Amino acid sequence: MVELSPNPFVTAQSVTPILLVIGTRPEAIKMLPVVRALRECSEVDLKVVTTGQHRQMLDQVFAVFDERPDIDLDLMTPDQSLADITSRVLHEMSALIEKHRPGLVMVHGDTTSAMAAALAAFYAKVPVGHVEAGLRSHDIMRPWPEEYNRISIDAIAQLLWAPTKGAAQNLRNERPESVFGDRQIEITGNTGIDALLHVAGGLTGDELNSLPVKLDARRKLVLVTGHRRESFGSGFARICDALERIAARGDTQIIYPVHLNPQVKDVVEARLGAIEAVHLIPPVDYVQMVALMNRARIVLTDSGGIQEEAPALGKPVLVMRDVTERPEAVATGVASLVGTDTGRIVDAVGRLLSDKEHYASCARAVFPYGDGTAARRIAESVVGFVKDHAR
């Protein structure tokens, strides 16, 4: 564990210490707008903690937001298992909570890092605040292990910031109280939209010049991301089959920033590496990902964050999962579930590329996940909470 020198954004000692935990790149994207909002609140002494679960990708996102962690647990190891992550985060966060004695521990979403950090706070009888609370696929194995993680965090959290009305209703349906008394459920919108609008508003058009491939303006760009654990093995084999068939059309260019996990990277490179119209590139930074989404004709993904972001940019989204905890985009018609079935993926892409009316109905900007002010709402909620508990 490394505790860094005092962060220059903290200008004064505040009343209530708060630990805000970030593990993966998607967590960083969605938590850093909250960090920026809380840095401006004199009522809290914020300490940003990273577990280092996505080391290289995490550093990129911090740089985009001109931020840095206060404490780096540096827990990343090659080929670590879920049990490894859980035990390391639980042990290190328990020690950190004992040292800093925070009035609140904040986590985001559904990662194993978030679950273990929340559990450490629960063991120490410290209140938990959960950003992006209440999402449910209602299938404990899909996504796996994320559905369990989010349920377990919400079971012990006192402050629950739900991105949508549906997420808030999920929370109300489950249990009315937390282990610390009455729960506070607030609909805030999704902080990922805050981050997206911040970055998209600053795009210059030069962000893709440094990509290792040259985009062909004559071909329709299909952007692909895929990394879900439940698709390891046969699921990714079917996805690769679909991408090979889409590439064979001759009118598409597929860009796939490949996740570093060997169970994704090794399979995808072996199956698609020699196909001319499929470009497998290393993970891109967040600004480049936003620029790629903005340029793409279609987005094909299993990512939760991209399910939220691409609709805001007016891009049709095909979700390579059978169920989703983000039904709002599907309800608008701009997103569709295609699973990992080769035929469904190929047919859905083909229809979007050949049916102009269908494409137009899907390629429209919608904002079911908020208006870009979620981080401010969460910061105001935190300040209210610490003031109430300081009395």
Side-chain angles (χ1 to χ4, degrees), residues 300 318-322 336-342 344-345 348:
L300 189 58
L318 300 177
V319 183
M320 297 185 294
R321 292 168 55 189
D322 295 317
S336 300
L337 295 173
V338 294
T340 60
D341 180 86
T342 300
R344 288 176 65 190
I345 295 171

Side-chain angles (χ1 to χ4, degrees), residues 155-270:
I156 59 178
Q158 185 166 353
L159 296 174
L160 299 114
W161 297 295
T164 64
K165 291 180 180 179
Q169 190 58 50
N170 288 335
L171 294 168
R172 297 187 185 104
N173 290 343
E174 289 173 353
R175 57 196 303 264
E177 297 181 349
S178 78
V179 292
F180 295 103
D182 291 340
R183 303 193 300 172
Q184 299 180 30
I185 300 172
E186 183 176 352
I187 301 170
T188 61
N190 197 298
T191 57
I193 302 302
D194 296 30
L196 177 73
L197 297 180
H198 170 75
V199 170
L203 294 178
T204 65
D206 298 326
E207 291 80 13
L208 302 180
N209 292 343
S210 61
L211 291 179
V213 298
K214 184 175 177 59
L215 299 181
D216 187 345
R218 299 168 298 176
R219 296 192 178 199
K220 297 169 183 176
L221 178 61
V222 179
L223 175 63
V224 179
T225 74
H227 70 282
R228 289 285 181 186
R229 287 177 181 266
E230 70 260 31
S231 296
F232 287 177
S234 61
F236 271 103
R238 292 190 296 270
I239 289 170
C240 289
D241 288 342
L243 297 179
E244 184 173 1
R245 287 173 57 181
I246 294 166
R249 290 173 51 97
D251 61 347
T252 62
Q253 182 178 35
I254 297 172
I255 301 290
Y256 188 168
V258 181
H259 199 279
L260 298 176
N261 190 313
Q263 296 199 61
V264 178
K265 187 173 183 288
D266 293 350
V267 173
V268 170
E269 289 182 347

